[in-house]
Amino acid sequence: MKQSLNKAMSERDSAEMRVPAPSYVRAMLPYQPGKPITEVARELGLAEAGIVKLASNENPLGASALAVEAAQAALAEVARYPDGGGFMLRQALADHHHISPEMLVLGNGSNDVLELASIAFLEPGSSAVYSQHCFIVNRLATQARGAEGIEVPASGYGHDLWAMREAVRSDTRVIFVSNPNNPTGTFVAPGEVRHFLQQVPANVLVVLDEAYYEYLAPEQRSGSVEWISEFPNLLVTRTFSKAYGLAGLRIGYGVAHPDVADLVNRMRQPFNVSNVAQAAALAALGDDAFIERSVELNRAGMVQLTRGLASLGLESIASSGNFVSVRVGDAGRVFKQLLEQGVIVRPVAGYGLPEHLRVSIGLESENSRFLEMLAAVL
Ligand SMILES: *Cc1c(COP(=O)(O)O)cnc(C)c1O
């Protein structure tokens, strides 16, 4: 039975190979996520409880209890479609940012918003600018539209905004800026970003991805959302996946001029954000104390990890996020050996960093376990 199914499937596969997908689709490489705990446990025969996952920049405290409670309550309504317009959440976000709800785009993760912006503004024959070592979704979203990606060499692992401005061509529609960037953690100061926005032609959309915004020190916080009134070609994205601890529910959002938001909203699936995600995000937004605790834990963990890495003689890239990338040499080997010890981190060779590993800041005990195992493996 299974055999005949396999045979039928391989016949079908070869039939599918003849369906002419565009060359830019066939050229795409799949996104490689951090390994899930369940998969590592299964593959290596380890107990799930003993595995430490520092591979996906998740909040080690979990989510706000208020958000979890709201999500549970929303389960009672799952037989109904969610509010496709996200009325309550957009209203709350509008209040939070002192903007009008028309400026908001809700996404199935902020990843979705990056994707939707690429659908709205890119097409074959156009181009998008992004940085070397940048968040890989920028490149994937560009490739999937058949647009040309212009990758600008990084400077000290970070975005060289001046060079990115210079790389803009007459066919360029979008510039992706991830600030802080993942996987490098590099950060461009608000004053420089603002200066960059002043230089960018008004007919080029700047997508400013601020997935780690909540982790920034007060002096690093830009008025990016306020800048939109001055720069109608600015789209700011934020997420509930990182500091808010709702990665599994998939919810993020974009803020832009109402005309831009309208175009991007037209590209959404009608119900792209679930009712559970909307309810949880709404509650999470009201739990400032949870964010404060998360940020404080991250600050302390960053000190613990960077000191520990330095004492092993390793060079890490200064990070403004909830993770740090460290140069370990043969990263593939170190990754595998850490995995065998039940410590999952993230190889970043696909980001042009073959000698680095990216480590998320965990609980103090998780950070210690990682440092201990890393010392042993090295
Ligand atoms: C994690 C991350 C995102 C957001 O992911 P979602 O879960 O889709 O919201 C976006 N940009 C960067 C740079 C990230 O690291």
Side-chain angles (χ1 to χ4, degrees), residues 167-178:
V168 168
R169 307 189 308 216
S170 59
D171 65 3
T172 300
R173 303 263 183 80
V174 177
I175 308 178
F176 290 100
V177 176
S178 309

mmCIF file with all atom_site columns, all heavy atoms in Angstrom, residues 167-178:
data_model
loop_
_atom_site.group_PDB
_atom_site.id
_atom_site.type_symbol
_atom_site.label_atom_id
_atom_site.label_alt_id
_atom_site.label_comp_id
_atom_site.label_asym_id
_atom_site.label_entity_id
_atom_site.label_seq_id
_atom_site.pdbx_PDB_ins_code
_atom_site.Cartn_x
_atom_site.Cartn_y
_atom_site.Cartn_z
_atom_site.occupancy
_atom_site.B_iso_or_equiv
_atom_site.pdbx_formal_charge
_atom_site.auth_seq_id
_atom_site.auth_comp_id
_atom_site.auth_asym_id
_atom_site.auth_atom_id
_atom_site.pdbx_PDB_model_num
ATOM 1  N N   . ALA A 1 167 ? 22.766 52.688 -4.102  1.00 0.00 ? 167 ALA A N   1
ATOM 2  C CA  . ALA A 1 167 ? 22.459 51.520 -4.940  1.00 0.00 ? 167 ALA A CA  1
ATOM 3  C C   . ALA A 1 167 ? 21.090 51.625 -5.611  1.00 0.00 ? 167 ALA A C   1
ATOM 4  O O   . ALA A 1 167 ? 20.756 50.830 -6.489  1.00 0.00 ? 167 ALA A O   1
ATOM 5  C CB  . ALA A 1 167 ? 22.542 50.247 -4.094  1.00 0.00 ? 167 ALA A CB  1
ATOM 6  N N   . VAL A 1 168 ? 20.292 52.592 -5.181  1.00 0.00 ? 168 VAL A N   1
ATOM 7  C CA  . VAL A 1 168 ? 18.942 52.744 -5.743  1.00 0.00 ? 168 VAL A CA  1
ATOM 8  C C   . VAL A 1 168 ? 19.026 53.065 -7.236  1.00 0.00 ? 168 VAL A C   1
ATOM 9  O O   . VAL A 1 168 ? 19.777 53.946 -7.648  1.00 0.00 ? 168 VAL A O   1
ATOM 10 C CB  . VAL A 1 168 ? 18.159 53.855 -4.991  1.00 0.00 ? 168 VAL A CB  1
ATOM 11 C CG1 . VAL A 1 168 ? 16.879 54.226 -5.723  1.00 0.00 ? 168 VAL A CG1 1
ATOM 12 C CG2 . VAL A 1 168 ? 17.842 53.409 -3.569  1.00 0.00 ? 168 VAL A CG2 1
ATOM 13 N N   . ARG A 1 169 ? 18.265 52.322 -8.037  1.00 0.00 ? 169 ARG A N   1
ATOM 14 C CA  . ARG A 1 169 ? 18.219 52.564 -9.486  1.00 0.00 ? 169 ARG A CA  1
ATOM 15 C C   . ARG A 1 169 ? 16.847 53.114 -9.854  1.00 0.00 ? 169 ARG A C   1
ATOM 16 O O   . ARG A 1 169 ? 15.957 53.206 -9.014  1.00 0.00 ? 169 ARG A O   1
ATOM 17 C CB  . ARG A 1 169 ? 18.443 51.235 -10.241 1.00 0.00 ? 169 ARG A CB  1
ATOM 18 C CG  . ARG A 1 169 ? 19.690 50.491 -9.824  1.00 0.00 ? 169 ARG A CG  1
ATOM 19 C CD  . ARG A 1 169 ? 19.991 49.321 -10.741 1.00 0.00 ? 169 ARG A CD  1
ATOM 20 N NE  . ARG A 1 169 ? 18.875 48.393 -10.948 1.00 0.00 ? 169 ARG A NE  1
ATOM 21 C CZ  . ARG A 1 169 ? 19.011 47.087 -11.075 1.00 0.00 ? 169 ARG A CZ  1
ATOM 22 N NH1 . ARG A 1 169 ? 20.218 46.524 -11.006 1.00 0.00 ? 169 ARG A NH1 1
ATOM 23 N NH2 . ARG A 1 169 ? 17.966 46.324 -11.289 1.00 0.00 ? 169 ARG A NH2 1
ATOM 24 N N   . SER A 1 170 ? 16.683 53.437 -11.113 1.00 0.00 ? 170 SER A N   1
ATOM 25 C CA  . SER A 1 170 ? 15.389 54.000 -11.527 1.00 0.00 ? 170 SER A CA  1
ATOM 26 C C   . SER A 1 170 ? 14.277 52.949 -11.421 1.00 0.00 ? 170 SER A C   1
ATOM 27 O O   . SER A 1 170 ? 13.109 53.300 -11.283 1.00 0.00 ? 170 SER A O   1
ATOM 28 C CB  . SER A 1 170 ? 15.476 54.553 -12.950 1.00 0.00 ? 170 SER A CB  1
ATOM 29 O OG  . SER A 1 170 ? 15.863 53.514 -13.823 1.00 0.00 ? 170 SER A OG  1
ATOM 30 N N   . ASP A 1 171 ? 14.638 51.656 -11.443 1.00 0.00 ? 171 ASP A N   1
ATOM 31 C CA  . ASP A 1 171 ? 13.602 50.615 -11.331 1.00 0.00 ? 171 ASP A CA  1
ATOM 32 C C   . ASP A 1 171 ? 13.417 50.120 -9.883  1.00 0.00 ? 171 ASP A C   1
ATOM 33 O O   . ASP A 1 171 ? 12.669 49.178 -9.632  1.00 0.00 ? 171 ASP A O   1
ATOM 34 C CB  . ASP A 1 171 ? 13.913 49.430 -12.259 1.00 0.00 ? 171 ASP A CB  1
ATOM 35 C CG  . ASP A 1 171 ? 15.185 48.689 -11.886 1.00 0.00 ? 171 ASP A CG  1
ATOM 36 O OD1 . ASP A 1 171 ? 15.830 49.041 -10.869 1.00 0.00 ? 171 ASP A OD1 1
ATOM 37 O OD2 . ASP A 1 171 ? 15.552 47.741 -12.611 1.00 0.00 ? 171 ASP A OD2 1
ATOM 38 N N   . THR A 1 172 ? 14.090 50.751 -8.932  1.00 0.00 ? 172 THR A N   1
ATOM 39 C CA  . THR A 1 172 ? 13.992 50.308 -7.532  1.00 0.00 ? 172 THR A CA  1
ATOM 40 C C   . THR A 1 172 ? 12.695 50.808 -6.900  1.00 0.00 ? 172 THR A C   1
ATOM 41 O O   . THR A 1 172 ? 12.379 51.993 -6.965  1.00 0.00 ? 172 THR A O   1
ATOM 42 C CB  . THR A 1 172 ? 15.203 50.809 -6.707  1.00 0.00 ? 172 THR A CB  1
ATOM 43 O OG1 . THR A 1 172 ? 16.395 50.285 -7.280  1.00 0.00 ? 172 THR A OG1 1
ATOM 44 C CG2 . THR A 1 172 ? 15.102 50.348 -5.254  1.00 0.00 ? 172 THR A CG2 1
ATOM 45 N N   . ARG A 1 173 ? 11.953 49.887 -6.297  1.00 0.00 ? 173 ARG A N   1
ATOM 46 C CA  . ARG A 1 173 ? 10.688 50.256 -5.654  1.00 0.00 ? 173 ARG A CA  1
ATOM 47 C C   . ARG A 1 173 ? 10.748 50.138 -4.137  1.00 0.00 ? 173 ARG A C   1
ATOM 48 O O   . ARG A 1 173 ? 9.983  50.786 -3.438  1.00 0.00 ? 173 ARG A O   1
ATOM 49 C CB  . ARG A 1 173 ? 9.570  49.320 -6.138  1.00 0.00 ? 173 ARG A CB  1
ATOM 50 C CG  . ARG A 1 173 ? 9.402  49.307 -7.634  1.00 0.00 ? 173 ARG A CG  1
ATOM 51 C CD  . ARG A 1 173 ? 8.280  50.253 -8.056  1.00 0.00 ? 173 ARG A CD  1
ATOM 52 N NE  . ARG A 1 173 ? 8.096  50.165 -9.492  1.00 0.00 ? 173 ARG A NE  1
ATOM 53 C CZ  . ARG A 1 173 ? 7.413  49.200 -10.081 1.00 0.00 ? 173 ARG A CZ  1
ATOM 54 N NH1 . ARG A 1 173 ? 6.832  48.259 -9.366  1.00 0.00 ? 173 ARG A NH1 1
ATOM 55 N NH2 . ARG A 1 173 ? 7.294  49.173 -11.384 1.00 0.00 ? 173 ARG A NH2 1
ATOM 56 N N   . VAL A 1 174 ? 11.615 49.244 -3.648  1.00 0.00 ? 174 VAL A N   1
ATOM 57 C CA  . VAL A 1 174 ? 11.641 48.974 -2.205  1.00 0.00 ? 174 VAL A CA  1
ATOM 58 C C   . VAL A 1 174 ? 13.079 48.903 -1.703  1.00 0.00 ? 174 VAL A C   1
ATOM 59 O O   . VAL A 1 174 ? 13.959 48.362 -2.383  1.00 0.00 ? 174 VAL A O   1
ATOM 60 C CB  . VAL A 1 174 ? 10.935 47.622 -1.886  1.00 0.00 ? 174 VAL A CB  1
ATOM 61 C CG1 . VAL A 1 174 ? 11.019 47.302 -0.393  1.00 0.00 ? 174 VAL A CG1 1
ATOM 62 C CG2 . VAL A 1 174 ? 9.469  47.633 -2.335  1.00 0.00 ? 174 VAL A CG2 1
ATOM 63 N N   . ILE A 1 175 ? 13.309 49.473 -0.505  1.00 0.00 ? 175 ILE A N   1
ATOM 64 C CA  . ILE A 1 175 ? 14.567 49.256 0.220   1.00 0.00 ? 175 ILE A CA  1
ATOM 65 C C   . ILE A 1 175 ? 14.190 48.622 1.550   1.00 0.00 ? 175 ILE A C   1
ATOM 66 O O   . ILE A 1 175 ? 13.337 49.148 2.275   1.00 0.00 ? 175 ILE A O   1
ATOM 67 C CB  . ILE A 1 175 ? 15.325 50.572 0.514   1.00 0.00 ? 175 ILE A CB  1
ATOM 68 C CG1 . ILE A 1 175 ? 15.500 51.409 -0.756  1.00 0.00 ? 175 ILE A CG1 1
ATOM 69 C CG2 . ILE A 1 175 ? 16.675 50.278 1.155   1.00 0.00 ? 175 ILE A CG2 1
ATOM 70 C CD1 . ILE A 1 175 ? 16.203 52.752 -0.499  1.00 0.00 ? 175 ILE A CD1 1
ATOM 71 N N   . PHE A 1 176 ? 14.810 47.494 1.846   1.00 0.00 ? 176 PHE A N   1
ATOM 72 C CA  . PHE A 1 176 ? 14.555 46.826 3.122   1.00 0.00 ? 176 PHE A CA  1
ATOM 73 C C   . PHE A 1 176 ? 15.635 47.199 4.122   1.00 0.00 ? 176 PHE A C   1
ATOM 74 O O   . PHE A 1 176 ? 16.825 47.013 3.851   1.00 0.00 ? 176 PHE A O   1
ATOM 75 C CB  . PHE A 1 176 ? 14.570 45.309 2.943   1.00 0.00 ? 176 PHE A CB  1
ATOM 76 C CG  . PHE A 1 176 ? 13.410 44.754 2.162   1.00 0.00 ? 176 PHE A CG  1
ATOM 77 C CD1 . PHE A 1 176 ? 13.556 44.414 0.812   1.00 0.00 ? 176 PHE A CD1 1
ATOM 78 C CD2 . PHE A 1 176 ? 12.180 44.541 2.769   1.00 0.00 ? 176 PHE A CD2 1
ATOM 79 C CE1 . PHE A 1 176 ? 12.491 43.878 0.091   1.00 0.00 ? 176 PHE A CE1 1
ATOM 80 C CE2 . PHE A 1 176 ? 11.114 44.002 2.051   1.00 0.00 ? 176 PHE A CE2 1
ATOM 81 C CZ  . PHE A 1 176 ? 11.269 43.672 0.715   1.00 0.00 ? 176 PHE A CZ  1
ATOM 82 N N   . VAL A 1 177 ? 15.224 47.701 5.271   1.00 0.00 ? 177 VAL A N   1
ATOM 83 C CA  . VAL A 1 177 ? 16.171 48.005 6.352   1.00 0.00 ? 177 VAL A CA  1
ATOM 84 C C   . VAL A 1 177 ? 15.694 47.276 7.608   1.00 0.00 ? 177 VAL A C   1
ATOM 85 O O   . VAL A 1 177 ? 14.586 47.521 8.081   1.00 0.00 ? 177 VAL A O   1
ATOM 86 C CB  . VAL A 1 177 ? 16.237 49.529 6.620   1.00 0.00 ? 177 VAL A CB  1
ATOM 87 C CG1 . VAL A 1 177 ? 17.144 49.836 7.811   1.00 0.00 ? 177 VAL A CG1 1
ATOM 88 C CG2 . VAL A 1 177 ? 16.710 50.281 5.376   1.00 0.00 ? 177 VAL A CG2 1
ATOM 89 N N   . SER A 1 178 ? 16.509 46.360 8.120   1.00 0.00 ? 178 SER A N   1
ATOM 90 C CA  . SER A 1 178 ? 16.144 45.656 9.354   1.00 0.00 ? 178 SER A CA  1
ATOM 91 C C   . SER A 1 178 ? 16.958 46.267 10.484  1.00 0.00 ? 178 SER A C   1
ATOM 92 O O   . SER A 1 178 ? 18.180 46.242 10.451  1.00 0.00 ? 178 SER A O   1
ATOM 93 C CB  . SER A 1 178 ? 16.462 44.162 9.234   1.00 0.00 ? 178 SER A CB  1
ATOM 94 O OG  . SER A 1 178 ? 15.913 43.640 8.041   1.00 0.00 ? 178 SER A OG  1
#
